[in-house]
Structure formats: structure tokens, C-alpha cells
């Protein structure tokens, strides 16, 4: 994706804080899946037919996100997770903060992790954010879920990530 490449190049071209950054690069820590019991092959097989079951399982979600990151297409799943977290928010102040962050990260044009939603869904979501509620992102989240179900899930099921889990 051109936008991601452009962002990464922009980051690389920025002047470092000191020349030591060139000499000693900071090692990136690989992300570890949550310390959760590995699901049985039978449970993993159910994920082929149910994105919902996959996303509700912490191990499944971590595996799915790792797969999507390997394809540079994790924004949809990250948006879905952010929406789930948003729906658990009780405080109106926190809700407004999270809504703004989700909008800036995933919805607005040229957002760093912009999700692919149609203009109508984007317009409805923006209208909902005038007075944020627990359902502000529902339409966009449903569209993204449908996209992942139709596109990302079949690719995941065919991947080595998934094949290793059913062994």
C-alpha cells in the first residue's frame, strides 16, 4: 500500500535525535501472543466458518493479527478491536477521547491506518461522532467485519499461520 510505504519512508528520512541512532539501532521486540492456552485443533477448525469465534478467542485474535501484519493489512482487525474496546467505555469523557482517537487513526481521509469504508458509512459515522455513543461506530464496524469475513478470513485459513494451528 502506497500510503504505508510513504509513511515509513517519511519516518526513515527524518533526522535522528542524535548520531548514536545510526550506530546503535534500537532492536524491536517481537510481539508475543497473549499467554493463553493454545486452542485445540477442533476449536481452530471452527474458525474457518466463524470470524466471530476467531475474534473472540484471544489466541485466535493474536494469530489473525500476526497474519494480517505479515501482509501489511492489519488495519481492519485493529479497527474492529478498537471498536470493541470503545463499546466497553463507561465514562462520556473517555468515550469522546476514544472516539476522536479511533476517528483520527482509522476513519478520517489519509488516516495512518485508514479503513476502506464507503462514503455513506463514513458520513454516518462522522455524524454519529457529533455526540459519541456506544453505537457511534456500529455501521463502520459491521462493514469492516463483513470485509474481513469475505476477504481476510479465507486468506488466513489458507495461510501457514492457520495450518500450523490445526496440527
Amino acid at each position: 500500500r502506497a500510503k504505508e510505504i510513504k509513511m515509513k519512508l517519511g519516518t526513515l528520512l527524518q533526522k535522528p535525535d542524535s548520531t548514536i541512532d545510526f550506530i546503535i539501532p534500537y532492536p524491536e521486540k517481537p510481539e508475543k501472543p497473549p499467554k493463553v492456552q493454545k486452542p485445540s485443533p477442533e476449536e481452530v477448525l471452527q474458525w474457518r466458518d466463524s470470524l466471530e469465534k476467531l475474534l473472540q478467542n484471544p489466541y485466535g485474535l493474536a494469530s489473525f493479527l500476526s497474519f494480517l501484519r505479515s501482509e501489511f493489512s492489519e488495519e481492519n482487525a485493529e479497527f474492529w478491536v478498537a471498536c470493541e474496546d470503545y463499546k466497553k467505555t463507561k465514562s462520556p469523557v473517555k468515550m469522546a477521547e476514544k472516539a476522536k482517537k479511533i476517528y483520527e487513526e482509522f476513519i478520517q481521509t489519509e488516516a495512518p491506518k485508514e479503513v476502506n469504508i464507503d462514503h455513506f458509512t463514513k458520513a454516518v459515522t462522522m455524524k454519529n461522532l457529533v455526540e459519541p455513543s456506544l453505537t457511534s461506530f456500529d455501521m463502520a464496524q459491521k462493514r469492516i467485519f463483513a470485509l474481513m469475513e469475505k476477504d481476510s478470513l479465507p486468506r488466513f485459513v489458507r495461510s501457514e499461520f492457520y495450518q500450523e494451528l490445526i496440527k
Side-chain angles (χ1 to χ4, degrees):
R1 301 189 30 152
K3 189 173 15 169
E4 289 172 359
I5 293 169
K6 185 177 172 186
M7 270 183 42
K8 288 178 182 171
L9 281 175
T11 305
L12 290 172
L13 293 174
Q14 288 177 353
K15 217 174 189 181
D17 292 337
S18 69
T19 53
I20 195 81
D21 289 348
F22 282 118
I23 302 164
I24 308 169
Y26 298 106
E28 286 188 26
K29 291 184 179 177
E31 287 187 32
K32 295 179 186 170
K35 298 220 184 253
V36 180
Q37 186 177 349
K38 187 176 177 181
S40 68
E42 293 76 29
E43 190 176 355
V44 174
L45 285 170
Q46 292 178 353
W47 298 345
R48 286 188 303 201
D49 306 316
S50 175
L51 179 59
E52 199 167 320
K53 282 184 182 175
L54 168 66
L55 296 174
Q56 287 173 351
N57 182 295
Y59 201 97
L61 176 60
S63 300
F64 189 55
L65 279 167
S66 292
F67 164 72
L68 292 173
R69 280 190 193 104
S70 76
E71 292 193 323
F72 303 101
S73 64
E74 69 272 18
E75 65 280 346
N76 287 344
E78 289 180 359
F79 172 71
W80 186 88
V81 169
C83 290
E84 288 299 296
D85 177 60
Y86 174 80
K87 288 190 234 176
K88 295 174 188 163
T89 309
K90 303 275 188 269
S91 156
V93 173
K94 288 268 188 224
M95 191 180 291
E97 288 172 7
K98 285 184 179 183
K100 183 179 189 289
K101 186 174 187 240
I102 291 170
Y103 172 78
E104 290 173 350
E105 192 171 354
F106 299 102
I107 305 290
Q108 78 180 7
T109 305
E110 299 297 318
K113 297 179 180 181
E114 186 177 358
V115 291
N116 186 8
I117 53 174
D118 57 272
H119 292 292
F120 177 74
T121 304
K122 187 180 269 196
V124 168
T125 303
M126 288 167 58
K127 186 176 169 237
N128 290 344
L129 294 177
V130 173
E131 289 183 43
S133 72
L134 294 177
T135 60
S136 293
F137 294 101
D138 281 3
M139 180 185 273
Q141 188 182 20
K142 284 181 180 129
R143 297 278 158 93
I144 292 304
F145 183 90
L147 264 175
M148 290 191 300
E149 198 169 43
K150 190 177 78 185
D151 184 48
S152 306
L153 181 62
R155 286 196 325 272
F156 175 64
V157 168
R158 290 189 304 266
S159 74
E160 285 183 31
F161 283 83
Y162 184 79
Q163 298 306 317
E164 285 298 314
L165 290 171
I166 57 175
K167 287 183 180 176

